Amino acid sequence: MNTLKNNIVRLLTIMTIMLVVISCDDNDNGNNSEDINDFATTPEEVVEKLEMYINAQNMNGVLSLYNGAAVFVDQPEGAPKVGFSAIREGYQGFFDLGGQSDIQIRNVIQSGNLALVIVDWTFSGIDSDGNSFEFGATGTDVLQQDEGGNYWLYSIDNAFGVARPDSNTGFTQAENSAASTAELEVLVENLEMYINTRNMDGILSLYNEEAVFVDQPEGEPKVGFDAIREGYQGFFDLGGQSDIQVRNVIQSGNIALVIVDWTYTGIDSDGNSFEFGATGTDVLQQGEDGNWLYRIDNAFGIARAN
């Protein structure tokens, strides 16, 4: 039964990508069957293919790396692009510049069928007036594996990483995700409350059983409840207080990338004050019961992995 289900899911995905290819402009370059048959089997391979397709101005290839509910944030401020048509529009802006992309993976943090991929990218070239240009950022992207474990696709391509959203829009979100954003803000508030009241059971109730917690800017992540408990006990032993502020929420279906600014302050055992913090890049997932839980709690955000 599972094999049949996986085959059906794979077939539906292929049909979706084929429809995307058919709907692309006739002027797209590189319209060949490899775009829809050569699936990326790792998050790293998705990134490699994206760079290749951008530099070949292969729109079909680019779109084949995104799922049907994907969100593309192609500006540091403003509303994201949701769905294939909008994503195509965003990439056409890059193609029109005529530059070349360089994408280097900084870190990959995986929790089951979800992965947070942090990349450093640049786009450079010569404009129509003969002037050279170069721009780029550190992107924080969420990729998802299909149910059969065959391939990976972008769910959230957040090209400008931890950049703050436009103050006029509040959050970088689709119009229909405001309710979920409110729920996610409450979840973050609960995490702050549980940390400050040393409520370990409360903290663990906010994490999925496959959750990954990165509590150091370098080193191995903590996987599973026992390891997450160990990580938080280190904070508890310091005796400080946490302040967590939501900077941005980017949602794609039941997946959300939540960017937070946090600090931890207090007085150590020698009577000296301390304060540390970072901008976290976290991945949350909504379960069938409607509740959101942490899948990846990456407390130190875009910090390089060990």
Side-chain angles (χ1 to χ4, degrees), residues 26-45:
D26 293 336
N27 292 328
D28 287 340
N29 295 323
N31 294 334
N32 57 62
S33 60
E34 291 183 0
D35 294 341
I36 61 173
N37 293 327
D38 187 16
F39 291 108
T41 57
T42 67
E44 292 84 354
E45 191 176 355

Side-chain angles (χ1 to χ4, degrees), residues 234-245:
F235 283 88
F236 288 2
D237 291 344
L238 291 174
Q241 292 282 286
S242 180
D243 179 75
I244 311 175
Q245 300 297 322

